[in-house]
Amino acid sequence: MYDKILLATDGSTLSKKAVTSAISLAALTGASLVALKVVPRYPQSYFEGGLALQAAEVGRIEKQWSEEGQAVVDEVKKIAESQGVKTRALTIKSDVVSDAIIATARKHKCDLIVMASHGRKGVKRLLLGSETQQVLTHSHIPVLVLR
């Protein structure tokens, strides 16, 4: 049914449920897995008058985010491979998470994207946005959303 599944994860508790489901689905169908964590390119200040960060500080923060992101997907890979699922662990830097997920799925020729939805509503959804909604809206690859 599926040959390659892209699993988008952020390491949250809800996302871990999607990890478990994606690994089970991959094992059931004999698919390989691409575990993806998207990290921001650099710290952004959303408030006017905020202090600008020094270049060294930006570099330190970017490195920390990348290392933390890699640890998340490495753990997914470890769990998946212990269940016999061939897995590739990727960390991508991008400020637009949904675009990075879709582009990675295309690049790696995935035939399914699996991700969680936090189910935010009202003002929280307006302020925080919905990466899952953006992937659903713009992806030409089927998307399995778990909650």
Side-chain angles (χ1 to χ4, degrees), residues 17-98:
K17 290 180 182 179
V19 166
T20 302
S21 295
I23 292 170
S24 296
L25 182 60
L28 183 66
T29 61
S32 63
L33 198 62
V34 176
L36 174 67
K37 169 79 168 95
V38 180
V39 295
R41 288 189 186 277
Y42 55 87
Q44 296 179 355
S45 173
Y46 295 98
F47 303 102
E48 289 188 30
L51 298 174
L53 295 172
Q54 299 293 326
E57 185 68 6
V58 170
R60 184 191 66 75
I61 292 169
E62 283 183 330
K63 182 178 183 221
Q64 179 183 341
W65 287 347
S66 291
E67 289 171 353
E68 289 170 356
Q70 192 63 47
V72 167
V73 292
D74 285 345
E75 181 64 21
V76 170
K77 180 177 180 173
K78 178 180 162 188
I79 294 166
E81 290 189 342
S82 74
Q83 295 182 34
V85 177
K86 182 180 173 188
T87 305
R88 183 167 185 183
L90 297 175
T91 303
I92 304 289
K93 290 183 183 180
S94 177
D95 294 322
V96 184
V97 174
S98 57

Side-chain angles (χ1 to χ4, degrees), residues 2-3 5-7 11 15 17 37 47 62 80 91 97 106 110 125-126 135:
Y2 300 112
D3 291 321
I5 299 170
L6 180 117
L7 166 64
S15 187
K17 290 180 182 179
K37 169 79 168 95
F47 303 102
E62 283 183 330
T91 303
V97 174
R106 244 189 254 127
C110 296
R125 182 171 182 193
L126 288 174
V135 172

